[in-house]
Amino acid sequence: MTRTARDAGYAVPAVNVFDEISMRAVLAAAERTASPLIVQISTKTVRTAGCAFVTDLFAALARDVTVPVALHLDHCPDRAVLTEVIASDWSSVLFDASDRDLDDAVRETHEVTAEAHAAGVDVESEIENILGVEDGVGSDESQHAYSVEQLAEIAESTGSDLLAPQLGTSHGLYKAHPQLLPQRAAELAALTDRPIVLHGGTGLSEADFRSFIDAGVSKINISTAVKHAYMQASLAHLEVARAKDRWDPPRLIADVSAAVTDVIAEHVAWFGADGKAAGTGSAR
Ligand code: 13P
């Protein structure tokens, strides 16, 4: 999916969800915009909901989706969770080795890639840390930074399928506009053919996304925008419910779903992915 996107000059939206409502709403955005889409699950959600439940939920909801969709495990430093997800035949996993020193990160990325590839699962690799904490994983401090030459060399030696370098972004809401590094993505893209992933998408502008896509980024992660839309729509609904003393859970779910679908459809258009899945049929 990401290679097709790169060749055609757009990025695949990769969107974090945490329950049935958010998963349905995000898949609805893919359908509405005729876009391919990667559904992402945090390690925390796998732990709380259970791998089997998430796997079955995605299979049930994706069954009738007519655009290519994939199921991806987001930032995971935990080898046991990786093993369980790989055995459950998800499309891909992000092995987050950014808490390891370089030797351990390289050795373990090699091991995870071998395990995943034997099961037909792709691996996104992170050895520098993306700033910010995402569902309990990560740090606000830069722990490791390497040269693009090192990143490309390690990607080749470990056989990682996708690369998640530090590109100036961070997870969560930005307090000030970040120092974005699209030129670093371009430098890395010149050294390796492996698709490059942009994390920390929430809060960037359409022009920011375009500069990263032009630099070679072909998967863009969005999480906070989903949580924000979900909670703001819940609050707006509940304030009206309390004022009118009218309590209607299906209406609450419909309002939350509509807000999440709208915000993801907007991002899909910003990534240039709308219409790109027209008539392509579903993926795994
Ligand atoms: P945001 O929460 O900033 O959108 O980042 C999402 C992300 O990168 C998930 O891995």
Side-chain angles (χ1 to χ4, degrees):
M1 291 164 83
T2 52
R3 286 175 185 272
T4 303
R6 189 178 57 191
D7 292 348
Y10 66 95
V12 180
V15 186
N16 289 61
V17 304
F18 43 82
D19 67 356
E20 180 192 337
I21 297 170
S22 53
M23 195 187 286
R24 271 188 198 277
V26 160
L27 291 171
E31 282 279 17
R32 191 211 282 173
T33 57
S35 170
L37 187 135
I38 298 168
V39 170
Q40 300 196 142
I41 309 290
S42 73
T43 300
K44 183 177 170 187
T45 297
V46 172
R47 289 202 183 108
T48 53
C51 180
F53 176 76
V54 177
T55 306
D56 290 350
L57 179 65
F58 179 78
L61 297 185
R63 192 173 299 129
D64 299 324
V65 171
T66 61
V67 294
V69 290
L71 184 61
H72 173 78
L73 174 66
D74 201 20
H75 298 276
C76 187
D78 183 330
R79 295 287 299 274
V81 173
L82 286 157
T83 294
E84 189 180 14
V85 166
I86 288 167
S88 301
D89 201 27
W90 292 25
S91 304
S92 48
V93 295
L94 165 48
F95 176 43
D96 186 341
S98 61
D99 60 346
R100 274 81 157 170
D101 65 27
L102 188 57
D103 286 348
D104 285 344
V106 170
R107 179 180 52 76
E108 290 197 53
T109 302
H110 213 286
E111 291 169 6
V112 170
T113 304
E115 182 183 343
H117 287 177
V121 174
D122 285 342
V123 177
E124 180 179 330
S125 164
E126 177 181 345
I127 55 173
E128 299 177 316
N129 64 306
I130 314 290
L131 298 183
V133 180
E134 180 85 34
D135 265 3
V137 178
S139 163
D140 288 324
E141 306 292 322
S142 176
Q143 292 165 324
H144 302 290
Y146 305 111
S147 69
V148 285
E149 288 77 13
Q150 276 176 299
L151 293 181
E153 195 184 306
I154 292 164
E156 296 305 319
S157 77
T158 56
S160 309
D161 302 284
L162 300 121
L163 308 183
Q166 177 51 256
L167 295 173
T169 55
S170 61
H171 297 125
L173 293 174
Y174 292 102
K175 292 178 192 85
H177 197 72
Q179 268 314 106
L180 300 177
L181 304 171
Q183 74 282 3
R184 189 166 197 250
E187 287 164 18
L188 184 58
L191 297 172
T192 175
D193 183 47
R194 294 164 201 269
I196 298 170
V197 180
L198 179 70
H199 282 252
T202 298
L204 302 189
S205 69
E206 183 173 8
D208 293 333
F209 290 126
R210 180 40 56 189
S211 69
F212 278 110
I213 294 166
D214 289 345
V217 163
S218 55
K219 171 177 180 272
I220 301 180
N221 291 7
I222 298 290
S223 174
T224 302
V226 171
K227 294 178 183 166
H228 201 258
Y230 192 111
M231 296 304 289
Q232 293 289 339
S234 303
L235 184 62
H237 177 98
L238 290 171
E239 280 173 350
V240 173
R242 180 155 59 187
K244 295 187 173 170
D245 195 20
R246 212 168 54 209
W247 307 98
D248 185 352
R251 201 56 251 161
L252 167 66
I253 291 170
D255 286 353
V256 169
S257 302
V260 171
T261 300
D262 285 351
V263 78
I264 295 309
E266 184 178 39
H267 282 82
V268 166
W270 290 345
F271 301 168
D274 47 325
K276 298 299 191 297
T280 50
S282 57
R284 307 173 72 150

